[in-house]
Amino acid sequence: MPRVKKPAKVKEPIRLRMKELANGNKSLYLDIYRDGKRTYEYLKMYLIPETDNNARRQNQATMNAANAIKQLGAREVYACATHPVLSGPAIQRIQDSEIKQMVLLNTIPIPPEKRIEKMKLLSVAKISDGKTVLMAVLCLRDNVRTDAVETVQILNDAGIQVVMVTGDAEETAVAIAKEAGILADEKKDVVLTHEEMEKLSDEELKKVLPNLRVVSRAKPLDKKRLVSLSQQIDNVCGMTGDGVNDAPALKQADIGFAMGDGTAVAQEAGDVVILNNSLTSIKDCVLNSRTMAKSVGKFLIFQLTVNISTLLMNIIAPILGWTEPFSIVQILWINLIMDTLAAMAFGGEPILDRYMKDQPAKRTDNILTPYIKSAIGVSAIFITLGSILILENIGGITSWVIPAGCADPKLYEKTFMFAFFIYAIIFNSLNTRSEKFNLFEHIGENKKFVLVMGAIFVLQTIIIEIGGKVFNTTLLEPRALLVSICLLYTSDAAD
């Protein structure tokens, strides 16, 4: 009978260990295992040995401390101290003033950049002889990520107000907010605690909101209240969260960012799940959203320009004696260009960092901004005027391009006008893409635009040359094609 190989023993991902230090103290630390290998010491806590040599109580207190560390999710423990506490439960939080005094008495040095104000504090105690005796003070700190400071600055430059809502003490919250760049101007920026915010009425809090930067000792309903009041003053509000208590605020917000390692309730309530739990991902989300909004605006400019130009031509042309400026098939071709093909062309616009310099839109802002309205109006008017110039033979331009002996001059004029109209809306798409003088800005980053507009130009030329019976056109000479292109450059320069 073949021997069955025993499965390899799998090491625990987190292992609790304890060792004796040279000074007689005991050190508790957690080892992290990845892929079966020990990578680094994750947490350290120093405990003063008991005087009554009760190993069972010592081990129990050690386990309580370890559980407390796990629940807090702290990454570093910098110091500890012992001090008797005359009353209180077995494991309790004590006043910050007492902890500061204890840390000062401690022999373990704390670097200036890691002072007590920036740490979460937890005391571990036991009950002995009817008294609560403090065994250790844990100074816990989550380092601010290096990219978080830069991201906060980018969000501030983008006109986005970053508010830190935390359950930490006011001193800790303020210190972290300063380090992250959230709290920059102490004279102008507002810091509130839960108790202070609870005393404010909704109207009073609305006046404070524009300058609010930190809310400490916050309760779950504080977040929802902040979101609701922010929306009432026409702000678009986003909220981050990972716990069950964050679900109401995530649901209420215009966009809720749930953390990837958060609870299922929070992820269900949120709109976006941040898998890497990084503020940088929120910045990227904002940049992508603004790029999408810009692309929608460009599409609207292009589509409405073509719509208005076509409408104006069908209104003005009969007044001037042209009963049918475009045939039915020509209108279908124009509709295909301005809808389906335009959506494909503008759907791949590049993501530009300069969009983060724009101010955010208010909830009440119209999607048709003043810039979009002016771009549509100017382009539509010049395309319409160019088409009328051809139909009315102003300046003898149409007579100059009609060849001698043309069998149907009227059809030639309409074909000439149709060629100019399509070429004009193609080149107007370059104006639509760029808000600056350079019409070819970042055009290589949107290959779909180049392919779609290039294909429309080629197909339009083929339609003019060989699509006579279907599109009601006639063959144009190269001189007429050249003049139509020169005319559209005039309209683009004016735009």
Side-chain angles (χ1 to χ4, degrees), residues 41-268:
E41 291 186 0
Y42 189 56
L43 296 172
K44 288 185 178 179
M45 181 188 70
Y46 299 97
L47 298 175
I48 303 298
E50 288 195 74
T51 57
D52 58 0
N53 296 322
N54 191 324
R56 184 178 61 81
R57 290 185 179 181
Q58 175 68 44
N59 292 334
Q60 182 61 40
T62 299
M63 293 303 300
N64 288 340
N67 291 333
I69 294 175
K70 290 181 181 179
Q71 291 170 5
L72 285 176
R75 296 184 178 180
E76 298 178 70
V77 178
Y78 291 111
C80 71
T82 60
H83 192 279
V85 179
L86 299 180
S87 62
I91 297 180
Q92 65 170 11
R93 289 185 179 275
I94 59 179
Q95 298 298 321
D96 293 339
S97 58
E98 296 180 18
I99 294 180
K100 290 178 182 178
Q101 181 180 1
M102 296 171 194
V103 173
L104 291 175
L105 295 174
N106 189 20
T107 57
I108 300 177
I110 300 178
E113 68 275 9
K114 299 175 181 178
R115 289 179 181 175
I116 196 70
E117 294 86 14
K118 300 180 182 180
M119 301 181 184
K120 298 179 182 179
L121 305 173
L122 179 69
S123 62
V124 181
K126 70 167 187 175
I127 298 177
S128 178
D129 299 328
K131 296 181 180 180
T132 301
V133 179
L134 180 67
M135 296 179 58
V137 175
L138 308 180
C139 304
L140 312 174
R141 168 188 165 93
D142 282 329
N143 283 331
V144 176
R145 297 184 181 183
T146 54
D147 58 347
V149 180
E150 180 183 357
T151 301
V152 169
Q153 183 60 46
I154 293 174
L155 293 177
N156 289 332
D157 293 340
I160 299 174
Q161 179 183 351
V162 181
V163 181
M164 184 173 75
V165 184
T166 177
D168 292 338
E170 182 178 3
E171 293 81 3
T172 305
V174 169
I176 296 298
K178 288 180 180 179
E179 185 177 355
I182 298 175
L183 190 61
D185 188 352
E186 294 188 43
K187 295 181 179 179
K188 181 181 177 181
D189 296 340
V190 177
V191 178
L192 295 177
T193 63
H194 164 73
E195 290 76 14
E196 293 171 343
M197 194 175 78
E198 197 172 28
K199 294 177 182 178
L200 297 177
S201 65
D202 288 350
E203 294 302 321
E204 291 174 334
L205 188 54
K206 287 179 183 178
K207 295 178 181 179
V208 175
L209 274 178
N211 297 321
L212 184 63
R213 293 296 181 269
V214 178
V215 178
S216 60
R217 294 299 188 194
K219 301 296 178 64
L221 291 181
D222 291 341
K223 296 182 179 181
K224 188 175 186 298
R225 185 188 179 195
L226 288 173
V227 171
S228 300
L229 295 180
S230 180
Q231 291 172 334
Q232 290 177 22
I233 58 177
D234 296 330
N235 287 335
V236 178
C237 185
M239 175 62 70
T240 63
D242 58 0
V244 175
N245 293 334
D246 297 324
L250 291 172
K251 194 71 174 178
Q252 177 70 28
D254 296 287
I255 178 168
F257 296 97
M259 299 297 105
D261 59 357
T263 62
V265 176
Q267 294 179 4
E268 184 68 24

Side-chain angles (χ1 to χ4, degrees), residues 202-415:
D202 288 350
E203 294 302 321
E204 291 174 334
L205 188 54
K206 287 179 183 178
K207 295 178 181 179
V208 175
L209 274 178
N211 297 321
L212 184 63
R213 293 296 181 269
V214 178
V215 178
S216 60
R217 294 299 188 194
K219 301 296 178 64
L221 291 181
D222 291 341
K223 296 182 179 181
K224 188 175 186 298
R225 185 188 179 195
L226 288 173
V227 171
S228 300
L229 295 180
S230 180
Q231 291 172 334
Q232 290 177 22
I233 58 177
D234 296 330
N235 287 335
V236 178
C237 185
M239 175 62 70
T240 63
D242 58 0
V244 175
N245 293 334
D246 297 324
L250 291 172
K251 194 71 174 178
Q252 177 70 28
D254 296 287
I255 178 168
F257 296 97
M259 299 297 105
D261 59 357
T263 62
V265 176
Q267 294 179 4
E268 184 68 24
D271 302 293
V272 178
V273 178
I274 307 298
L275 297 179
N276 61 356
N277 303 324
S278 175
L279 188 64
T280 304
S281 296
I282 298 179
K283 182 262 295 181
D284 295 337
C285 183
V286 172
L287 179 56
N288 279 274
S289 299
R290 291 191 175 188
T291 302
M292 186 180 298
K294 289 284 186 181
S295 298
V296 171
K298 294 173 183 179
F299 174 75
L300 287 176
I301 293 174
F302 183 83
Q303 185 185 55
L304 293 180
T305 297
V306 178
N307 273 329
I308 294 175
S309 301
T310 307
L311 179 63
L312 290 176
M313 284 300 300
N314 281 278
I315 293 175
I316 297 174
I319 299 175
L320 300 177
W322 295 85
T323 56
E324 191 180 274
F326 300 109
S327 67
I328 300 299
V329 179
Q330 288 175 355
I331 291 178
L332 291 175
W333 170 237
I334 294 172
N335 186 73
L336 179 64
I337 293 173
M338 71 180 183
D339 281 340
T340 306
L341 297 179
M344 294 173 59
F346 291 105
E349 284 297 285
I351 299 173
L352 304 179
D353 291 334
R354 70 167 185 242
Y355 295 154
M356 293 300 288
K357 299 294 183 181
D358 298 339
Q359 292 301 304
K362 287 284 187 180
R363 182 185 301 277
T364 55
D365 287 353
N366 194 335
I367 190 172
L368 296 178
T369 64
Y371 169 77
I372 293 178
K373 292 178 182 178
S374 64
I376 293 171
V378 172
S379 299
I381 289 173
F382 273 88
I383 293 175
T384 304
L385 289 178
S387 301
I388 293 175
L389 182 146
I390 294 173
L391 290 180
E392 290 299 302
N393 193 22
I394 297 176
I397 187 172
T398 307
S399 300
W400 186 70
V401 299
I402 295 178
C406 178
D408 193 346
K410 291 292 184 182
L411 181 59
Y412 200 95
E413 288 181 2
K414 291 179 63 175
T415 304

